[in-house]
Amino acid sequence: MEHFKNVKDSQVVISELMLPSHSNFNGKIHGGYILSLLDQIAFACASKHSGAYCVTASVDTVDFLKPIEIGELVTMKASVNYVGRSSMVIGIRVEAENIQTGDIKHCNSSYFTMVAKDNTGRSVEVPGLILKTDNQIRRFAKSIKRKKMKKKRVQEFHETDFSSEQYLHILEDHKVKIERNS
C-alpha cells in the first residue's frame, strides 16, 4: 500500500537575525551564507517528508531579487512541491523583515531537488504527496514543467554533433568578438 503525506506535515520555517559576520565586502548579507541556510532548510523539509537522510541533487533556481541588510530578520519557508520515486523538489521562499519598521520584502525563491537515501547510500522511495489547495496543485504542476525543461537543457548541452558555425548567428547581438587562429 502506498503511503501519502500532506504538504503541511513537512513544511519548515526558520528565522534568523542577520549579523555583521554574515555580510560581504559591500555590507550586504553574503549570498553564500543565504545558500547555506537554503540547503539546511531544504534538507530539513525533505528529511521530514521522507523520514530518511536526504542529499542535495541539484539547485534548480536561485534568484536573488533584493539584497538583505545587516540587522534584518530573515525568514525561510520550505515546502515539498513535488515528489518522484526517491526525489523531492523543495520550494523555499525567503523574506527579510526590517525589525524596526516591520517592512517585509521578498528576497529569494529557490527550488532544491533532494534525494532520500538509506544507510548504505542507496536511494529510497519517498511518500506520495496529498495536494489540497490550488496553490499546491500549481506548484506540483510547475515542478513537472521545470523538470521537463531541465531534461531538454541537459540533452541540448550534451549534443555531440557540435559545430561552432551553426551557433554564430546566436552570437551576433552579444558583446563578443571572434578571433580565430589561422
Side-chain angles (χ1 to χ4, degrees):
M1 186 174 117
E2 271 194 272
H3 180 62
F4 289 83
K5 282 182 151 178
N6 287 301
V7 171
K8 67 176 177 59
D9 293 337
S10 55
Q11 288 176 325
V12 177
V13 178
I14 61 169
S15 294
E16 185 173 327
L17 186 64
M18 294 296 106
L19 304 174
S21 61
H22 303 140
S23 67
N24 60 24
F25 295 111
N26 201 26
K28 309 293 183 198
I29 299 306
H30 197 286
Y33 183 71
I34 298 301
L35 284 170
S36 172
L37 292 177
L38 289 167
D39 195 47
Q40 289 175 42
I41 195 170
F43 168 82
C45 184
S47 295
K48 199 171 176 183
H49 179 78
S50 66
Y53 176 75
C54 293
V55 297
T56 305
S58 72
V59 180
D60 298 324
T61 307
V62 180
D63 292 322
F64 292 102
L65 306 173
K66 294 182 180 159
I68 300 171
E69 308 289 336
I70 295 168
E72 288 184 324
L73 183 65
V74 168
T75 299
M76 296 185 176
K77 302 170 184 176
S79 292
V80 178
N81 287 1
Y82 168 87
V83 295
R85 194 193 76 73
S86 62
S87 67
M88 297 152 281
V89 173
I90 311 300
I92 309 163
R93 181 179 174 91
V94 180
E95 297 174 338
E97 178 182 1
N98 179 314
I99 56 178
Q100 277 113 17
T101 66
D103 290 339
I104 296 173
K105 60 187 175 185
H106 176 211
C107 298
N108 183 312
S109 288
S110 303
Y111 303 96
F112 279 57
T113 300
M114 308 296 288
V115 177
K117 300 284 186 175
D118 66 14
N119 293 340
T120 66
R122 281 184 283 224
S123 297
V124 295
E125 195 164 343
V126 300
L129 206 54
I130 299 168
L131 306 175
K132 292 187 172 184
T133 68
D134 286 343
N135 223 13
Q136 292 170 352
I137 293 167
R138 180 184 57 78
R139 287 176 178 157
F140 198 97
K142 282 194 166 193
S143 292
I144 293 170
K145 198 172 184 178
R146 267 193 308 280
K147 188 175 178 164
K148 286 179 182 177
M149 289 179 355
K150 183 179 179 181
K151 186 176 182 179
K152 186 178 178 194
R153 275 195 321 271
V154 169
Q155 286 172 341
E156 286 178 6
F157 185 77
H158 290 293
E159 286 178 352
T160 55
D161 62 342
F162 177 82
S163 162
S164 62
E165 297 301 320
Q166 70 189 34
Y167 292 95
L168 290 177
H169 71 281
I170 296 171
L171 307 179
E172 289 171 357
D173 295 331
H174 292 77
K175 193 172 183 175
V176 65
K177 183 163 97 174
I178 300 171
E179 295 179 354
R180 298 181 190 226
N181 295 332
S182 298

